[in-house]
């Protein structure tokens, strides 16, 4: 990917480090409001794909509470509220049925508490357990075997792939395995922004709206009490947002204005400041992030011209 400088770390007035990356901002009609780097190159969306996967399951007939769809689209922190929400989606199944690995809670505070209490890693505590619980529920609903539900050839994953292609507007570039064991469908930042735009602007009663409504009503489930993705949704009414490993970020407003970000080095510290700057281009003011991290290059010039 032909990334560009997006953010820099400054110490006593001197640039100490630079984060390269790519970003795209789409208008509700899909035209490009801003782009830097290479938004049309193939990339792995990581957990920013979860709203797309949840939409696929809603299209397959899955009906959950708003909290259920929020946890299905979450990379949760492992707080008790997250564990309870994932258990509710499991609907009586044992957490041992989840196909994701056992892990400690993602949030450092929760992880420390977990370890101090002598608790072992748990499948339920894994940040993707809500998505996997929803996948099991979707298999049950459609009469599909849950053995092998993570195989790309399984009917569930084939249906998810079809929805990803439909929402992004182009074919899947490559199939890999995500950290939780689920298939990971490569797309582009433009495709990812297009997909979240459709979800955010969907009409009530549609599968896409079920997912968006869950995310909007329960931002605390999508991330956690100490996560910037939750904080930014609370700060901007109607915004849906999702972060992902390797510093990927998506966000979309109810009118379909959408943002997708990828920081090339996977450095999470640059992800939020770039999102905040992109939101400013959309007329939305949120805290810019740490004082020693500032946007640079074309993005800084565009924000500075407002």
């Amino acid at each position: 990917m032909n990334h560009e400088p997006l953010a820099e770390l400054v110490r006593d007035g001197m640039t100490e480090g630079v984060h390269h990356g790519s970003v795209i901002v789409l208008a509700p009609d899909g035209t490009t409001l801003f782009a830097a780097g290479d938004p049309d190159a193939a990339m792995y969306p990581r957990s920013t794909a979860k709203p797309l996967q949840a939409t696929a399951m809603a299209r397959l007939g899955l009906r959950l509470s708003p909290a259920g769809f929020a946890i299905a689209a979450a990379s949760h922190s492992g707080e008790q509220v997250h564990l309870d929400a994932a258990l509710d989606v499991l609907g009586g199944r044992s957490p041992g049925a989840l196909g994701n690995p056992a892990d400690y809670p993602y949030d450092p505070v929760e992880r420390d508490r977990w370890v101090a209490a002598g608790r072992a890693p748990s499948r339920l505590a894994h940040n993707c357990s809500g998505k996997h619980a929803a996948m099991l529920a979707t298999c049950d609903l459609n009469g599909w075997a849950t053995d092998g539900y993570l195989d790309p050839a399984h009917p569930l994953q084939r249906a998810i792939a079809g929805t990803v292609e439909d929402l992004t507007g182009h074919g899947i570039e490559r199939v890999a395995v995500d950290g939780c064991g689920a298939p990971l469908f490569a797309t582009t930042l433009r495709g990812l922004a297009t997909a979240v735009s459709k979800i955010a602007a969907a009409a009530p009663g549609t599968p896409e709206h079920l997912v968006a409504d869950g995310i909007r009503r329960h931002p605390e489930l999508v991330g956690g009490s100490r996560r910037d993705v939750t904080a930014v949704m609370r700060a901007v009414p109607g915004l849906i947002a999702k972060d992902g490993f390797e510093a990927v970020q998506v966000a979309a407003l109810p009118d379909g204005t959408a943002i997708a970000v990828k920081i090339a080095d996977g450095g999470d510290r640059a992800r939020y400041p770039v999102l905040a700057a992109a939101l400013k281009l959309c007329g939305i003011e949120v805290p810019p992030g740490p004082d020693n991290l500032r946007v640079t290059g074309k993005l800084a010039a565009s924000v500075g011209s407002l």
Side-chain angles (χ1 to χ4, degrees):
M1 296 178 75
N2 297 315
H3 295 295
E4 296 181 18
L6 292 181
E8 58 186 10
L9 181 70
V10 179
R11 187 180 299 275
D12 290 333
M14 187 173 77
T15 298
E16 188 174 29
V18 179
H19 293 279
H20 291 67
S22 296
V23 58
I24 189 166
V25 182
L26 297 182
D29 65 359
T31 56
T32 303
L33 293 175
F34 175 83
D38 195 352
D40 294 302
M43 48 80 68
Y44 289 125
R46 300 303 299 265
S47 284
T48 63
K50 286 176 178 173
L52 284 66
Q53 293 166 313
T55 296
M57 291 185 274
R59 287 184 176 185
L60 289 166
L62 184 65
R63 293 296 179 266
L64 301 171
S65 66
F69 275 115
I71 202 69
S75 298
H76 65 73
S77 290
E79 299 170 62
Q80 190 60 49
V81 66
H82 302 126
L83 308 186
D84 291 343
L87 279 172
D88 188 59
V89 176
L90 275 170
R93 277 185 176 272
S94 165
L98 295 166
N100 56 265
D103 201 358
Y104 292 108
Y106 177 73
D107 180 84
V109 174
E110 297 301 324
R111 186 185 311 127
D112 288 348
R113 289 173 179 165
W114 195 283
V115 172
R119 301 177 73 176
S122 159
R123 292 179 188 268
L124 189 64
H126 191 284
N127 75 91
C128 299
S129 64
K131 176 181 76 175
H132 283 258
M135 286 182 172
L136 291 172
T138 305
C139 288
D140 287 344
L141 179 67
N142 286 275
W144 296 329
T146 54
D147 291 342
Y149 79 91
L150 297 178
D151 188 324
H154 190 281
L156 171 66
Q157 302 302 337
R158 292 203 308 268
I160 291 174
T163 294
V164 169
E165 291 183 330
D166 178 59
L167 291 173
T168 60
H170 58 68
I172 290 168
E173 303 275 353
R174 184 184 294 266
V175 181
V177 180
D178 211 342
C180 66
L184 177 62
F185 303 118
T187 184
T188 65
L189 285 179
R190 186 182 302 277
L192 195 56
T194 299
V196 296
S197 172
K198 292 175 182 177
I199 294 170
T206 62
E208 291 83 351
H209 184 262
L210 292 174
V211 175
D213 183 57
I215 291 171
R216 288 181 180 123
R217 290 198 195 189
H218 295 282
E220 76 285 353
L221 294 181
V222 178
S225 61
R226 289 171 282 271
R227 297 270 293 283
D228 60 57
V229 68
T230 293
V232 74
M233 285 192 282
R234 285 176 169 164
V236 183
L239 183 76
I240 65 170
K242 184 70 191 74
D243 52 350
F245 281 165
E246 295 304 312
V248 189
Q249 176 80 55
V250 293
L253 294 164
D255 68 356
T257 302
I259 298 163
V261 174
K262 164 64 182 171
I263 305 301
D265 60 12
D268 208 44
R269 70 183 182 185
R271 174 185 51 77
Y272 176 80
V274 172
L275 172 65
L279 283 169
K280 190 170 184 178
L281 294 177
C282 303
I284 305 295
E285 292 277 357
V286 296
D291 291 340
N292 63 342
L293 266 172
R294 66 189 183 194
V295 294
T296 190
K298 186 190 299 183
L299 180 58
S302 295
V303 171
S305 68
L306 296 176

